[in-house]
Amino acid sequence: MFIVSVSLRVSVSFHLSELRNYLELETEDKLEYRFVPAGSGVVNFKVRAPNDAHIALTTNPEESDPMLEVFIGGWKNTKSVIRKNRTKPDVAEVETPDILNAGEFRGFWIRWLDNVITVGNEGSAAAFLSYENPEPFPINCVGVCTGWGATGSWLIEPASEQASPSAPTAAALRSGGGAACWVAAANGEIPPNAVVGGSDGEDMFIGRAQHEGGIIPGKVVASHGVCYIAWGGVENPKAEYEVLCDFNGEFVPGTGGEIPPTALPAGESEDGEPLFIGRVTHEGTVTVGKVQPSHGVCYIPYGGQELAFAEYEIYVSP
């Protein structure tokens, strides 16, 4: 189990007009789920509670196996976990001090695709909690409840308005018949089985991070404590990022905007264009960056700049 301790104090503000787009629910200190229809692969919600916001993912609107539960802010608002079929030990956990607040709404998303469940903060592309379920099941309903001394106010985006995971993200999770696992990390942390994509005197890992509304592939340099991404003409360091793990792909030659059919989508631009993992040999380094098809180049973050190359290598599924 990969456990990361991160600070997740996220303030959420929104206009009153946005409230009309949400289902409003109140939950008592009962640990009794209230169910709503699930969206297509994702649920977006806000919750105001002091601790123990519980979310159930089920096939039917009832507490019965198979069932996955996400506990956010449990154990006196110090930890979040995923539990399977109401049975311990929990299948995933992460320290999340003060992730909930009794006085303000905090926003979150939960996504599921095939057998991968991820949980993240509203506005962040990186998940802070994930689990690969070896026994996937249809998720048709989402339940919410609070307990252990907590009551909660919930704003849940209706199923009809839930946006399914973006095409590149979905493809990245299931490409090549296997799951490409993106693991949330921060401050130079490298998860087990991280994929090495290049080198610059030390291993450079394949990563991605959120920036200006996009999810941008880039390079994770552990000694620098960040994932560097190329955007806007500069090299942007990101202390919070995701790392590609447990994926046996390979780099093949590429040029211009030609994308091999088995290329692994790894993100998207701020305009929704799929982005791919590329790398370039430059000044004695092998540097990982992003291939943007419409631009016909691979951009790499290097020396504080965003550099473009028409010839590069692109990462493909096995």
Side-chain angles (χ1 to χ4, degrees):
M1 185 182 299
F2 182 58
I3 302 177
V4 181
S5 178
V6 293
S7 177
L8 293 166
R9 302 185 183 188
V10 180
S11 297
V12 176
S13 61
F14 45 87
H15 298 290
L16 289 175
S17 60
E18 294 177 351
L19 294 177
R20 289 193 290 269
N21 297 326
Y22 285 84
L23 301 173
E24 300 182 49
L25 292 176
E26 301 290 328
T27 52
E28 301 178 15
D29 178 14
K30 280 189 175 182
L31 288 176
E32 182 177 301
Y33 282 109
R34 300 186 63 183
F35 288 91
V36 299
S40 178
V42 63
V43 59
N44 300 309
F45 61 93
K46 307 175 195 290
V47 60
R48 183 175 60 202
N51 55 271
D52 286 276
H54 294 193
I55 303 93
L57 305 176
T58 62
T59 300
N60 299 306
E62 59 186 9
E63 294 185 47
S64 61
D65 298 345
M67 175 177 177
L68 289 171
E69 294 175 281
V70 178
F71 301 162
I72 297 176
W75 293 265
K76 298 182 179 180
N77 204 18
T78 64
K79 184 170 68 173
S80 299
V81 308
I82 298 177
R83 183 171 294 175
K84 182 177 180 180
N85 294 337
R86 298 168 288 179
T87 303
K88 296 182 179 180
D90 299 317
V91 295
E93 69 176 67
V94 62
E95 295 178 15
T96 53
D98 300 323
I99 191 171
L100 296 177
N101 188 290
E104 67 178 22
F105 280 97
R106 299 284 174 89
F108 303 93
W109 50 260
I110 301 175
R111 298 186 180 119
W112 54 93
L113 180 70
D114 297 335
N115 58 342
V116 180
I117 309 294
T118 52
V119 185
N121 291 298
E122 180 183 63
S124 174
F128 64 80
L129 189 61
S130 64
Y131 171 58
E132 186 171 350
N133 184 11
E135 301 171 318
F137 58 90
I139 295 175
N140 302 324
C141 301
V142 174
V144 298
C145 72
T146 43
W148 306 111
T151 60
S153 298
W154 301 75
L155 301 172
I156 305 172
E157 192 170 317
S160 60
E161 297 183 18
Q162 299 283 359
S164 62
S166 63
T169 302
L173 288 170
R174 65 176 179 233
S175 181
C181 180
W182 292 95
V183 178
N187 303 318
E189 294 163 328
I190 306 298
N193 302 318
V195 178
V196 176
S199 63
D200 183 9
E202 67 176 287
D203 284 340
M204 189 181 298
F205 298 89
I206 297 174
R208 67 182 186 184
Q210 183 189 26
H211 186 72
E212 297 292 338
I215 303 173
I216 315 299
K219 63 180 184 182
V220 179
V221 183
S223 65
H224 293 198
V226 297
C227 175
Y228 290 106
I229 61 168
W231 195 93
V234 299
E235 180 180 52
N236 300 273
K238 295 290 183 177
E240 295 184 1
Y241 48 85
E242 292 180 308
V243 183
L244 180 64
C245 298
D246 293 306
F247 199 81
N248 189 29
E250 62 178 342
F251 283 94
V252 300
T255 183
E258 297 179 2
I259 304 299
T262 56
L264 181 68
E268 62 183 358
S269 72
E270 64 276 17
D271 298 320
E273 179 184 6
L275 300 176
F276 300 84
I277 301 160
R279 72 180 183 185
V280 173
T281 300
H282 181 66
E283 295 192 353
T285 73
V286 180
T287 300
V288 179
K290 65 179 182 184
V291 176
Q292 189 159 356
S294 66
H295 293 198
V297 298
C298 175
Y299 292 104
I300 64 168
Y302 184 86
Q305 297 179 291
E306 177 184 45
L307 304 178
F309 296 82
E311 295 186 358
Y312 48 84
E313 290 183 296
I314 187 168
Y315 194 69
V316 300
S317 303

